[in-house]
Amino acid sequence: MKLNISPIALLCGAALLGGCASTADNASANNQPAVSALQLAQQTIIIDTHIDVPYRLHKDWEDVTQATQRGEFDYPRAQAGGLNAPFMSIYIPASYERSGGGYQLANQLIDSMEALVARAPDKFAMAYSTQDVIEQFGSAKVSLALGMENGTPIAGKLENLQHFYDRGIRYITLSHSESNHIADSSYDLRRRWNGLSPFGKELVVAMNNIGMMIDISHVSDDAFYQAVALSKVPVIASHSSLRSYTPGFERNMDDDMLKALAKNGGVVQINFGSSFVTQMANQYGALRKAAAKQAGVADDAAFELEFRKKNPYPFATLDTVLDHIDHVVKLVGIDYVGIGSDYDGVGDSLPVGLKDVASYPNLVDGLLKRGYSAVDIEKILSGNFLRVWREVEQYAAKHAAG
Ligand SMILES: [Zn+2]
């Protein structure tokens, strides 16, 4: 992208295609979900496979058993949105691979989720299995499942895989923003392993055997293909969107990968973040960095605030997220797509109409308007993911039985 045009002209010019914040805000104000959508959201199990509450609370604690001022998740909003089972992200920043301490941080974040349940047992319960999610559905409790984002805490030891399984972790995102001892990262141009490391290959087999889902969000394309080829069970992308809408962004999945994922029986859980779903938002960060460089200042929080004032962030809309779901359905069918919002993980970049965990009825409303049946919507909200999780559980049970 050329930078001799002012960023604002670039961003809001392209908004003629349907992305500018002010237009979209007006549209959403008039778009309350239909009663049928509200009902369906309440009557259907909703699993969102990536919500960054643990790290959010670690950095900036609030009481999420009550309505909160900040963030995108709390109990009242989860109830309003019909959310039943969020996967709480046990997120370990990539720097821990170098500094150490990932094992400790992971345990600390898991402790914090257990403490939440202990403090409000009428509102939250841990969920360690598909059965837990199903049994707790219909109660007033939000089931908290755990996924580990970044395999750094495994620290090259299979006994740590057992430890974190025992603590309730049910998926591991093999790497995060930098290549680690397990797998290369899509964001990291150093390709240490050209895919999975020798230990990473061992780990994939061990994860199958123990019943830990393999999450290929964040990894490089080579690591994805190697994981899919090695895994005896379907894999998940816990929070990824589609590269056809964000050309060149390896963090998202391209059509060939979607086909390979479907063949494997896996599921892509669509990330809602604007920078994951539109090219304009995807390139906003690069424009800001370039502007900071041009001005000779640091690209820090203060600069970001200033930059945003002059160049309104090009928020995506609910419709864009629906387009991603449609694309998967058209390409490979209804059985391979779900939702992994990345709430509490993508800052102020969420699409208009999908701002927090109270928003799932809007998504359901959009799906109904696009002609999806209640059966199809149930697959997207949880059915497809539960199918994969159940297959992973069954494979491990068979393995344990010898
Ligand atoms: Zn992530």
Side-chain angles (χ1 to χ4, degrees):
M1 186 172 288
K2 281 185 189 153
L3 290 165
N4 52 358
I5 321 166
S6 93
I8 187 150
L10 200 63
L11 295 167
C12 277
L16 293 172
L17 300 172
C20 217
S22 56
T23 337
D25 277 339
N26 293 339
S28 87
N30 305 325
N31 279 343
Q32 292 303 317
V35 174
S36 56
L38 286 163
Q39 283 172 345
L40 204 52
Q42 293 296 332
Q43 290 161 2
T44 309
I45 298 179
I46 299 183
I47 299 180
D48 184 323
T49 52
H50 201 90
I51 302 194
D52 273 298
V53 172
Y55 200 74
R56 164 189 160 201
L57 300 186
H58 177 69
K59 292 304 245 187
D60 181 19
W61 187 85
E62 282 187 294
D63 184 2
V64 294
T65 69
Q66 315 290 330
T68 54
Q69 293 299 314
R70 301 184 292 281
E72 288 118 29
F73 174 96
D74 54 42
Y75 181 78
R77 284 186 279 173
Q79 285 289 92
L83 175 61
N84 303 105
F87 267 77
M88 291 293 164
S89 173
I90 303 303
Y91 161 62
I92 309 302
S95 60
Y96 282 76
E97 182 82 9
R98 287 173 267 117
S99 65
Y103 177 87
Q104 286 80 355
L105 177 60
N107 279 290
Q108 191 183 357
L109 296 178
I110 297 168
D111 287 346
S112 75
M113 291 298 100
E114 290 177 347
L116 191 59
V117 170
R119 198 159 57 76
D122 53 329
K123 293 178 177 171
F124 295 109
M126 299 305 298
Y128 301 117
S129 63
T130 54
Q131 203 183 337
D132 286 350
V133 170
I134 291 161
E135 279 176 10
Q136 282 154 203
F137 172 64
S139 75
K141 294 176 189 174
V142 173
S143 293
L144 305 183
L146 302 176
M148 180 184 283
E149 182 172 29
N150 188 357
T152 282
I154 300 298
K157 294 178 190 158
L158 291 181
E159 61 259 39
N160 287 342
L161 172 66
Q162 180 73 52
H163 169 80
F164 286 116
Y165 181 87
D166 292 344
R167 292 222 57 190
I169 299 282
R170 289 298 177 265
Y171 75 67
I172 297 175
T173 317
L174 300 177
S175 65
H176 190 252
S177 59
E178 292 175 12
S179 300
N180 62 14
H181 69 291
I182 297 165
D184 286 341
S185 160
S186 60
Y187 286 138
D188 187 344
L189 295 178
R190 295 168 304 158
R191 299 291 147 120
R192 276 174 74 183
W193 312 106
N194 291 317
L196 298 176
S197 71
F199 176 73
K201 289 176 181 164
E202 220 182 302
L203 184 67
V204 164
V205 173
M207 286 169 75
N208 282 173
N209 291 344
I210 205 172
M212 183 76 83
M213 284 177 274
I214 292 155
D215 178 19
I216 57 78
S217 285
H218 281 287
V219 304
S220 69
D221 287 2
D222 285 340
F224 161 79
Y225 282 110
Q226 289 168 21
V228 166
L230 254 181
S231 180
K232 303 280 188 215
V233 290
V235 305
I236 64 164
S238 70
H239 61 308
S240 291
S241 305
L242 309 186
R243 208 178 298 169
S244 57
Y245 295 85
T246 55
F249 186 47
E250 192 178 346
R251 171 70 180 78
N252 278 345
M253 298 186 75
D254 72 18
D255 286 0
D256 286 339
M257 294 165 84
L258 291 173
K259 287 178 192 162
L261 184 80
K263 203 168 157 211
N264 157 277
V267 61
V268 55
Q269 306 281 102
I270 299 295
N271 189 318
F272 296 173
S274 293
S275 68
F276 288 83
V277 295
T278 73
Q279 192 177 16
M280 256 197 302
N282 190 260
Q283 296 186 347
Y284 185 84
L287 288 172
R288 194 193 61 236
K289 274 194 190 84
K293 201 173 168 194
Q294 212 166 24
V297 297
D299 180 25
D300 55 12
F303 182 78
E304 185 176 350
L305 205 67
E306 270 311 297
F307 185 78
R308 273 205 183 214
K309 265 189 222 156
K310 290 185 207 133
N311 308 281
Y313 186 80
F315 289 103
T317 65
L318 164 64
D319 264 316
T320 329
V321 174
L322 294 169
D323 290 344
H324 281 247
I325 293 174
D326 279 352
H327 187 95
V328 181
V329 173
K330 282 187 191 130
L331 189 75
V332 294
I334 185 70
D335 295 317
Y336 310 102
V337 63
I339 51 173
S341 63
D342 222 345
Y343 283 137
D344 279 348
V346 288
D348 180 19
S349 76
L350 286 153
V352 177
L354 288 175
K355 288 294 184 190
D356 61 15
V357 294
S359 309
Y360 302 106
N362 296 345
L363 186 82
V364 173
D365 192 60
L367 290 168
L368 284 169
K369 282 181 180 145
R370 289 190 182 203
Y372 285 85
S373 68
V375 172
D376 287 350
I377 291 171
E378 188 270 338
K379 285 184 176 188
I380 294 165
L381 295 181
S382 61
N384 293 333
F385 180 79
L386 281 171
R387 180 199 74 237
V388 172
W389 191 359
R390 206 172 285 121
E391 280 184 51
V392 169
E393 289 176 338
Q394 287 166 353
Y395 181 90
K398 247 192 268 164
H399 183 267

